[in-house]
Amino acid sequence: MGREDRPTWKSNYFIKLLALFDEYSKAFIVGADNVGSKQMQQIRVALRGKGVILMGKNTTIRKCIRGQLEKNPGLEKLLPYVKGNIGFVFTNDDLPTIRDIIQSNKVEAPAKAGAIAPVDVIVPAQNTGLGPEKTSFFQALSIATKIARGTIEILSDVHLIKKNEKVGASEATLLQMLKIYPFSYGLKVQQVYDSGTVFLPSVLDITNDDLIKKFLQGVTNVASVSLQIGYPTVASVPHSVVNGFKNVLALAVATNITFKQAEQAKAYAANPDAFKAAIQAATPAAAAAPAKGKEAPKKEEKKPEKAPEPEHESDEDMGFGLFD
């Protein structure tokens, strides 16, 4: 079977991409830099039954999306991110789970000269196993070394390459000699698409507890502002009611006005000793359980103290002391 011509291939690609957008409501925009065909096949296998990967040319993808905007206007938000070496991972499953599967499929790779370092590269202190003839190479990179048992030993950890810096030829050669593969490459999640909304993948790390915490913080801020400017809101009304009751209670205590909820406070104000007695009565009740637990050891401690007493009394009864 011969290879299909370009117009046929493009038409089939359009049909496939549109069918995926219709079938799946969620998708990842992933960067595929430095990802080989074998690694891509491994990722496809890991996502089998959970998601579909589709790569393609950016111009073709944009043209396909623009032709679908009348039917699905939300796709327009994807257009600014269709740039570089990207592809789509379509899914209807849990987004964090699929994200973790994508990110877990990475392959170690050597540092190549001219590449941009995705992470900091630190060479640990170690015996390199290299002969003394390589000493000048380490000196050129300002790496402190010594000769130990006929081989070069690095004395301390060396921050060889910083993140987002270009890898030099000397650094790449050193890492290859030490058989260090500092980089790992795989599909990188750049954006997340969900039912017409595009957002950063970091949003997937937000938990329900984080949302509740932020919501309560917002409610607290609304209540504070409302109380300060005297504008009642649902958030501030409970605080206003409590503050109002405190004012009414204070007025009742200071005057002859009374009502059921103020009777106890007025009684304590008239007789402070009763209030003090109530507090003292509540304190032992709260400490009753710990006190009971300590009673048994006290009884046990008294027994050995009483044992020597009869001997001392018997000496006195006999009429002589220790120095008689």
Side-chain angles (χ1 to χ4, degrees):
M1 183 177 178
R3 185 177 180 181
E4 59 186 3
D5 56 12
R6 184 167 181 77
T8 304
W9 175 89
K10 186 179 292 187
S11 176
N12 292 336
Y13 184 86
F14 275 29
I15 295 172
K16 185 176 182 179
L17 181 58
L18 294 178
L20 289 172
F21 275 120
D22 290 338
E23 181 180 356
Y24 298 96
S25 61
K26 307 172 187 176
F28 293 97
I29 299 178
V30 294
D33 292 337
N34 302 303
V35 179
S37 57
K38 183 179 179 180
Q39 184 181 0
M40 184 68 75
Q41 183 61 26
Q42 292 174 346
I43 299 174
R44 291 181 190 274
V45 172
L47 290 172
R48 186 170 296 166
K50 301 177 181 178
V52 178
I53 300 176
L54 182 66
M55 309 298 292
K57 291 188 175 181
N58 294 344
T59 52
T60 306
I61 295 173
R62 291 194 199 99
K63 186 176 181 180
C64 183
I65 291 176
R66 289 193 181 102
Q68 191 70 2
L69 291 181
E70 292 184 4
K71 182 180 178 181
N72 191 352
L75 295 177
E76 186 177 7
K77 297 178 181 179
L78 292 172
L79 291 175
Y81 306 105
V82 181
K83 56 185 179 181
N85 187 16
I86 62 98
F88 291 95
V89 178
F90 295 92
T91 183
N92 282 327
D93 285 9
D94 183 56
L95 287 173
T97 302
I98 302 301
R99 190 263 319 261
D100 293 341
I101 294 175
I102 295 171
Q103 294 182 342
S104 64
N105 283 273
K106 292 187 177 182
V107 175
E108 291 184 347
K112 296 182 180 179
I116 303 299
V119 295
D120 290 326
V121 179
I122 298 177
V123 178
Q126 59 179 301
N127 191 309
T128 64
L130 301 175
E133 68 277 3
K134 299 290 185 180
T135 302
S136 59
F137 186 83
F138 287 90
Q139 290 176 346
L141 292 172
S142 302
I143 299 177
T145 60
K146 69 175 183 179
I147 305 299
R149 299 179 181 179
T151 57
I152 299 175
E153 182 177 336
I154 300 176
L155 298 179
S156 60
D157 295 350
V158 180
H159 196 165
L160 189 64
I161 307 172
K162 294 183 179 180
K163 184 178 180 179
N164 297 327
E165 284 188 352
K166 185 177 290 187
V167 180
S170 300
E171 289 85 352
T173 303
L174 174 62
L175 292 171
Q176 289 178 3
M177 288 192 302
L178 297 178
K179 297 180 180 180
I180 295 176
Y181 302 97
F183 304 151
S184 59
Y185 296 112
L187 293 179
K188 183 179 180 181
V189 178
Q190 298 178 351
Q191 297 290 331
V192 184
Y193 172 82
D194 187 358
S195 303
T197 304
V198 180
F199 51 89
L200 293 172
S202 58
V203 176
L204 299 177
D205 296 324
I206 299 176
T207 63
N208 290 335
D209 292 338
D210 295 331
L211 294 175
I212 293 173
K213 183 178 179 181
K214 290 293 184 182
F215 176 78
L216 294 178
Q217 183 179 353
V219 171
T220 301
N221 293 337
V222 170
S224 300
V225 173
S226 300
L227 291 172
Q228 185 66 28
I229 65 177
Y231 185 82
T233 61
V234 175
S236 67
V237 165
H239 299 279
S240 299
V241 172
V242 171
N243 292 336
F245 178 74
K246 289 179 180 179
N247 294 333
V248 171
L249 186 62
L251 182 63
V253 171
T255 63
N256 293 327
I257 300 174
T258 184
F259 51 93
K260 184 177 179 181
Q261 290 78 4
E263 290 176 357
Q264 188 175 20
K266 291 176 70 70
Y268 286 154
N271 186 7
D273 292 336
F275 181 65
K276 188 184 298 183
I279 294 177
Q280 292 175 351
T283 303
K292 290 180 180 179
K294 295 179 181 179
E295 288 178 0
K298 287 181 179 178
K299 291 180 180 179
E300 293 177 1
E301 291 174 359
K302 291 179 180 179
K303 292 179 180 179
E305 292 176 358
K306 292 181 179 180
E309 292 179 4
E311 298 180 3
H312 179 68
E313 292 173 0
S314 61
D315 291 342
E316 292 177 353
D317 294 340
M318 294 176 65
F320 58 87
L322 181 61
F323 300 101
D324 288 344

